[in-house]
Amino acid sequence: MADELELLRRANPVPTDGPHFGDGPLDHHAERRLNRLMQQRTSRRPRLLWGLAATAVVGALVAALLFTDQTTAPAVAAPRPLVVRADSTPVSLETLAARARAADGSAELRKGTHVKSWSLGMSEDKPPITYPEERIVRWNADDSHTVTVDDGHDRTTQTYPPSWSDAPPQSRPPHDVARLRAYLQEATYTDTAPDTGQLLDGVRVLLDTWHLGARESATVAEMLADAEGLKPVGQVTDRLGRRGQAYVYQQSATRRMLIMDPASGAVLGLETTFTKAEPEYGVKAGAVMDYSAWMR
C-alpha cells in the first residue's frame, strides 16, 4: 500500500501551478494522469489500480451529472476495438516519418484541441460504464481560453482567464526529437527517460493541448520510429471514418493502438484495449478501455 501511495504522490494530478477547481471534478489532464498511473502498474496490483481508474472515470461522470442537473447517465454502447484490414500492408514508422517530413507544410501549430474520447468506468458491484466526451479548447489572443464539453446529454462552455505558463505541455513543443522526449517527460511528470508507453501517454497529453502543425507531426513520427516495441500492423478505419496506419504496443494487460495519417504522419487516434479479462468488474478480454480521436 505504501508503494501505491507514493505512486499517487508522484502522479500529482493537481499540481500547485495548475488550475484550481475547489471541490469540483478533476480536470481532463488529472483524469488522464490517473489512467496512466493505472496502466503503468497493472502487473503489480490489478484490483487496486482498476479501482483507481473507476474512481477517475466514474467520478468524472458523477460530477458531470451533478453540475449539469442530469439525473441519468448517458446510455452509450461500448465501442468495439478497431480492426486492422487483413489485406493491408503495414507501413513502418521510419517510412511514415519520412513522408511526414516531405509532406505539405501548410498546416501550422496552434494552441487548442478538438478531441472525442470514450472511457470505461468500472466497479465491483455494477456493470462497466462507457463515458463519452467531446472536448473543444480554444485559446484567445489574450491567453484566455474556453473549454466546451459535450457528454452526450449536456453541452457546457466555461471561460478561463489568461494563463502564461511556460511549462510543458503549455509551452510550444520543440522540433527536435531529443528535446521533444524531454518535453514529454516533463509534461507527464515522469522521473526517468520515458519508455514507449509513457511516450504514448505524452503524445496524448500533447494532442489534448495543441493542434500540431506539419513540422511538429513530423517530429512526433520520428520520435515514435525509435520507440521500442511499437509495431506496424496495417490499415484501419478510425471511429471518425478516417483511413490510418495502425501501430501496436503491448503493455502488461493492455494493448495500445496508435492510428496515424498515412500521408502526413499526423496522429489521428489512440486506443487502449484489455488483453485479459477482469471478471470481477465485468470486463472481457478485448474490451476498449479508452479511445481518443483528435481533429483539426
Side-chain angles (χ1 to χ4, degrees):
M1 179 62 72
D3 290 343
E4 277 73 21
L5 291 175
E6 179 58 29
L7 196 62
L8 282 170
R9 294 187 187 101
R10 293 203 307 269
N12 191 16
V14 187
T16 55
D17 60 348
H20 296 278
F21 296 98
D23 294 326
L26 294 177
D27 72 0
H28 190 51
H29 297 305
E31 294 172 23
R32 292 298 187 194
R33 287 171 201 148
L34 285 175
N35 281 330
R36 288 196 298 275
L37 172 65
M38 182 272 293
Q39 292 162 14
Q40 292 166 10
R41 302 290 290 181
T42 50
S43 61
R44 290 192 56 197
R45 302 268 187 177
R47 288 179 62 87
L48 171 63
L49 297 176
W50 294 142
L52 290 175
T55 300
V57 178
V58 178
L61 174 59
V62 171
L65 299 179
L66 290 175
F67 285 96
T68 58
D69 295 325
Q70 296 291 330
T71 57
T72 58
V76 178
R80 295 182 178 180
L82 296 178
V83 177
V84 177
R85 286 185 54 180
D87 60 347
S88 63
T89 301
V91 175
S92 71
L93 276 161
E94 290 81 4
T95 298
L96 200 67
R99 289 180 185 175
R101 282 296 178 197
D104 177 14
S106 60
E108 296 183 356
L109 176 73
R110 61 184 174 87
K111 203 168 188 179
T113 191
H114 185 183
V115 56
K116 286 189 175 183
S117 61
W118 296 260
S119 299
L120 190 67
M122 297 164 289
S123 65
E124 292 185 342
D125 57 346
K126 295 181 180 179
I129 298 174
T130 299
Y131 177 56
E133 179 180 277
E134 181 175 6
R135 179 177 293 259
I136 302 172
V137 181
R138 292 192 176 96
W139 287 77
N140 304 313
D142 64 353
D143 280 317
S144 64
H145 67 284
T146 60
V147 179
T148 300
V149 178
D150 190 333
D151 66 3
H153 268 211
D154 193 58
R155 187 179 180 91
T156 61
T157 298
Q158 289 184 293
T159 300
Y160 295 88
S163 171
W164 296 281
S165 172
D166 59 357
Q170 299 302 324
S171 58
R172 293 175 68 89
H175 299 147
D176 172 82
V177 169
R179 290 173 57 211
L180 181 59
R181 283 177 175 269
Y183 176 101
L184 297 182
Q185 180 177 344
E186 184 175 353
T188 56
Y189 302 89
T190 305
D191 294 333
T192 59
D195 60 21
T196 300
Q198 290 163 333
L199 285 178
L200 293 175
D201 293 335
V203 169
R204 185 196 295 273
V205 171
L206 177 64
L207 294 174
D208 281 347
T209 310
W210 293 90
H211 289 281
L212 298 188
R215 292 182 66 189
E216 292 78 21
S217 290
T219 305
V220 169
E222 288 181 348
M223 177 190 69
L224 294 175
D226 293 330
E228 183 178 359
L230 188 57
K231 300 177 180 179
V233 292
Q235 187 182 95
V236 298
T237 300
D238 80 351
R239 291 188 172 85
L240 301 182
R242 302 171 297 185
R243 293 285 182 90
Q245 284 291 327
Y247 302 86
V248 165
Y249 177 66
Q250 299 287 342
Q251 182 179 21
S252 185
T254 63
R255 184 193 73 167
R256 314 284 294 277
M257 178 184 283
L258 179 76
I259 302 99
M260 303 180 74
D261 187 295
S264 69
V267 176
L268 302 178
L270 184 61
E271 177 184 79
T272 306
T273 56
F274 290 95
T275 56
K276 296 180 180 179
E278 288 293 328
E280 62 267 45
Y281 297 103
V283 175
K284 299 179 180 179
V288 176
M289 180 192 296
D290 60 58
Y291 180 80
S292 293
W294 290 279
M295 298 163 277
R296 283 196 66 86

